[in-house]
Amino acid sequence: MAKLAKLDDIVSLCKRRGFIFQSSEIYGGLASCYDYGPLGVELKRNVRAAWWKTVVQMRDDVVGLDCSILMHPMVWKSSGHADKFADLVTVCKKCNTRSRVDHLAGHPEEHAGHVSIETAQADAQNLDKKACPSCGAVGKFSEPMAFKLMFETQMGANVDDTMTLFLRPETAQGIFANFKNVLDSTRVKIPFGIAQIGKAFRNEVTTKAFIFRTREFEQAELEFFCEPGTDEKWYEHWKQMRFDWYIDLGIKKANLRFREHDPDELAHYAKACVDVEYKFPFGSGDWQELEGIANRTDYDLRQHQRGMRSMNDWYENDRDLGKIDLKEEAEDYHKGPLSFFDEQKKQRYIPYVIEPSAGIDRSTLAFLVDAYDEEEVKGETRNLLRFHPALAPTKAAVFPLVKKDGMPEIAQKIYADLKGGFNCFYDQKGAIGRRYRRQDEAGTPYCITVDGQTKDDNTVTVRQRDSMQQERIAIDQVKTYLREKLDL
Ligand code: ATP
């Protein structure tokens, strides 16, 4: 039975073994910013690669994109982020702790996304009944204030002509802004999706729990464009696909669930939204959002059409657009620049969008927590990470049993042969038992050891991380063996 990991165990293992460090630690650290160390960077690369493989590579109906972080300010105006992307914050007058109004007890904590200031203000009416999460004082809150979530930066060297830009708070808008480019430059036809993985930045009011909520993080988002009327079917499709992705990569079913949003929780444009939640080990064990899947209707493309129209010169110079009345209430609004023409049905419409939006750092934390285990072996505690082979930072470690009798030379040769295909590690220092334990803690699925018998019959031992069982195989079979076992 796997041990239920405590967050402190994970944080300490991550530091000890070089998965994750506090950012700028030599200067006392920077709150809520983290750096991925040698093992962490491999783990995170594997999480990204696994997402890309399932969502893009294995599908014929999804293409990829990599947009810049800085975008035209109109993108955020049209998307609504520039005006609405703020949290309402209040300070406890007793202990001075700052909290998000929508995170206070009594409210469906953590489940609400970032809401409009108006919605949050309506929420703030009940502050006299809410308790401070830090000192427990009830109703001792200051007047709520809006807290801008987007980081600003300046573009341009001269003070006079600098332009204020935002660091993107989500990757999705870059996809909408490129919808027409992708449509015009590829052979995609609806239904199809555009996927992107990249950094996003939010000036979060409260950060918490290690890499769960940080101010700089990575998102993996898919915007799947479909014909209105088929959206509910695609919503169900992506719900299942995304749930299965976590399970296929080893997350225990008991730790994963869906939480469908209530109608009054939904953004005004969203038709449906569900969170994939993971049972994170915060406090008593909390169900928290890992990923959100939303039916965003045609809202985003419509908003960008509206934004384009407001930049008059853009559409007046466009021959085709000159003929179309882009007012939203106009009959041919759906024929605007971000519409799609269905050749078969001879119909033009603005597609609906299903958006699965995942966090790479948050899922990396979930994979770490879920893989963590401790067990008693011969009176000693064995710490291990039971990673799925696709996620394991190192796939195989190669050891000579001792540093003599030609064993290091043979082991080096095996290592050189393997490392072109998988991420491998060579180690000849210390007792073999300790070397195995170090690899268990790093989550390495296989250890290959060259010993006294190797010289006689050209075989090595292969030790399996989870069962600690060993078997002998011929040196010339090692690569094939690993390829099969690792499914690479
Ligand atoms: P929350 O309510 O937790 O702030 P949200 O509903 O605003 O999140 P989305 O905008 O739906 O989050 O973002 C999609 C995904 O991006 C989340 O499910 C999460 O995995 C990840 N994510 C969002 N904000 C952060 C953050 N501050 N740190 C790490 N990951 C994040």
Side-chain angles (χ1 to χ4, degrees):
M1 179 68 186
K3 185 177 181 288
L4 187 67
K6 292 198 289 296
L7 190 65
D8 288 349
D9 296 333
I10 304 290
V11 175
S12 113
L13 180 127
C14 282
K15 166 109 206 257
R16 191 167 72 242
R17 292 311 317 274
F19 278 94
I20 299 167
F21 308 120
Q22 175 78 63
S23 160
S24 320
E25 201 180 286
I26 58 167
Y27 293 109
L30 181 65
S32 98
C33 294
Y34 291 92
D35 300 339
Y36 287 78
L39 285 177
V41 72
E42 297 296 340
L43 173 62
K44 193 171 162 186
R45 270 163 52 93
N46 293 340
V47 173
R48 256 190 234 122
W51 187 90
W52 197 263
K53 184 171 179 188
T54 307
V55 175
V56 185
Q57 186 186 327
M58 298 299 287
R59 300 198 53 122
D60 299 330
D61 55 359
V62 178
V63 293
L65 193 71
D66 185 13
C67 306
S68 64
I69 287 171
L70 299 176
M71 287 188 273
H72 194 291
M74 271 305 291
V75 169
W76 306 114
K77 192 85 194 141
S78 302
S79 69
H81 287 87
D83 299 324
K84 294 196 181 134
F85 204 58
D87 280 330
L88 211 60
V89 180
T90 182
V91 177
C92 172
K93 289 186 199 154
K94 200 164 163 214
C95 71
N96 260 339
T97 300
R98 194 165 58 171
S99 305
R100 253 169 77 173
V101 168
D102 61 325
H103 279 186
L104 292 174
H107 194 275
E109 203 223 333
E110 294 292 342
H111 290 144
H114 298 291
V115 294
S116 73
I117 296 177
E118 298 78 41
T119 316
Q121 257 155 0
D123 232 21
Q125 301 307 314
N126 291 323
L127 270 187
D128 54 336
K129 296 188 194 80
K130 305 270 167 91
C132 169
S134 179
C135 72
V138 178
K140 296 265 179 268
F141 294 105
S142 68
E143 196 57 31
M145 303 162 292
F147 187 90
K148 283 255 178 202
L149 281 163
M150 285 205 291
F151 284 100
E152 289 181 6
T153 188
Q154 309 298 320
M155 183 185 260
N158 296 327
V159 180
D160 294 343
D161 59 10
T162 53
M163 186 181 192
T164 300
L165 297 180
F166 300 104
L167 301 189
R168 65 181 178 199
E170 61 173 41
T171 63
Q173 296 305 322
I175 298 179
F176 295 121
N178 277 288
F179 171 72
K180 190 169 152 54
N181 280 337
V182 173
L183 212 53
D184 292 350
S185 60
T186 66
R187 296 221 169 129
V188 290
K189 280 199 175 63
I190 287 201
F192 78 95
I194 307 179
Q196 167 161 237
I197 298 179
K199 288 264 185 174
F201 303 82
R202 292 181 190 177
N203 192 16
E204 300 277 8
V205 179
T206 46
T207 52
K208 74 170 202 183
F210 201 31
I211 55 170
F212 177 84
R213 186 188 305 287
T214 51
R215 297 198 168 101
E216 174 181 344
F217 55 98
E218 217 166 310
Q219 284 188 314
E221 298 196 290
L222 168 72
E223 305 306 320
F224 194 83
F225 302 96
C226 60
E227 187 182 347
T230 64
D231 49 307
E232 287 176 19
K233 180 188 90 183
W234 285 112
Y235 176 71
E236 291 304 323
H237 170 85
W238 283 109
K239 250 178 84 172
Q240 204 53 51
M241 287 294 293
R242 295 305 306 142
F243 195 88
D244 292 349
W245 182 77
Y246 294 101
I247 300 292
D248 291 348
L249 286 171
I251 296 278
K252 292 169 206 80
K253 240 188 180 143
N255 292 338
L256 205 66
R257 72 175 188 193
F258 282 125
R259 195 189 71 84
E260 204 79 45
H261 286 212
D262 293 334
D264 60 354
E265 253 183 281
L266 291 176
H268 65 93
Y269 51 82
K271 206 165 138 182
C273 188
V274 66
D275 290 341
V276 178
E277 291 189 331
Y278 180 74
K279 201 166 194 291
F280 279 100
F282 309 148
S284 54
D286 260 346
W287 288 100
Q288 301 280 351
E289 173 182 338
L290 202 50
E291 164 161 1
I293 301 150
N295 181 342
R296 298 183 62 91
T297 66
D298 56 1
Y299 175 77
D300 302 271
L301 291 177
R302 273 177 178 269
Q303 282 295 102
H304 286 296
Q305 272 200 176
R306 195 185 274 166
M308 290 159 82
R309 188 184 69 209
S310 72
M311 296 183 71
N312 285 334
D313 50 343
W314 190 94
Y315 85 95
E316 273 169 14
N317 290 338
D318 186 296
R319 236 176 340 116
D320 293 332
L321 274 179
K323 295 183 209 140
I324 294 174
D325 183 355
L326 282 176
K327 285 193 209 74
E328 204 173 345
E329 61 278 11
E331 216 171 83
D332 50 3
Y333 185 78
H334 65 281
K335 295 181 185 163
L338 301 183
S339 63
F340 169 79
F341 183 65
D342 184 329
E343 302 271 358
Q344 271 177 346
K345 294 190 180 162
K346 304 283 177 230
Q347 249 177 29
R348 200 169 256 290
Y349 56 85
I350 300 179
Y352 267 34
V353 169
I354 307 301
E355 177 192 76
S357 174
I360 294 290
D361 309 85
R362 221 176 257 190
S363 29
T364 298
L365 181 60
F367 287 124
L368 270 164
V369 168
D370 221 77
Y372 185 83
D373 203 1
E374 274 178 31
E375 57 182 27
E376 257 334 85
V377 179
K378 294 184 192 147
E380 272 185 39
T381 305
R382 178 170 94 113
N383 290 330
L384 73 160
L385 287 168
R386 297 184 190 271
F387 284 134
H388 184 283
L391 299 183
T394 310
K395 309 297 181 201
V398 187
F399 309 141
L401 183 63
V402 287
K403 258 194 289 182
K404 56 182 187 183
D405 301 334
M407 290 183 212
E409 289 75 11
I410 302 173
Q412 283 275 7
K413 239 177 117 190
I414 297 172
Y415 170 63
D417 184 39
L418 293 180
K419 70 179 175 185
F422 338 103
N423 202 15
C424 296
F425 184 74
Y426 177 82
D427 190 7
Q428 59 178 30
K429 272 195 228 119
I432 192 75
R434 288 184 148 237
R435 279 182 269 165
Y436 285 147
R437 292 289 188 274
R438 276 186 71 76
Q439 292 309 313
D440 290 342
E441 231 184 17
T444 308
Y446 294 97
C447 291
I448 292 138
T449 307
V450 171
D451 57 15
Q453 200 181 317
T454 306
K455 266 201 164 159
D456 300 336
D457 62 4
N458 274 324
T459 61
V460 287
T461 63
V462 181
R463 174 190 180 268
Q464 220 270 333
R465 175 197 65 206
D466 295 346
S467 63
M468 292 185 288
Q469 301 255 305
Q470 299 192 15
E471 58 180 311
R472 280 205 94 82
I473 62 167
I475 291 180
D476 60 8
Q477 290 302 306
V478 171
K479 212 180 201 169
T480 319
Y481 176 96
L482 288 177
R483 268 196 199 290
E484 269 172 24
K485 295 280 184 189
L486 297 166
D487 194 20
L488 294 172

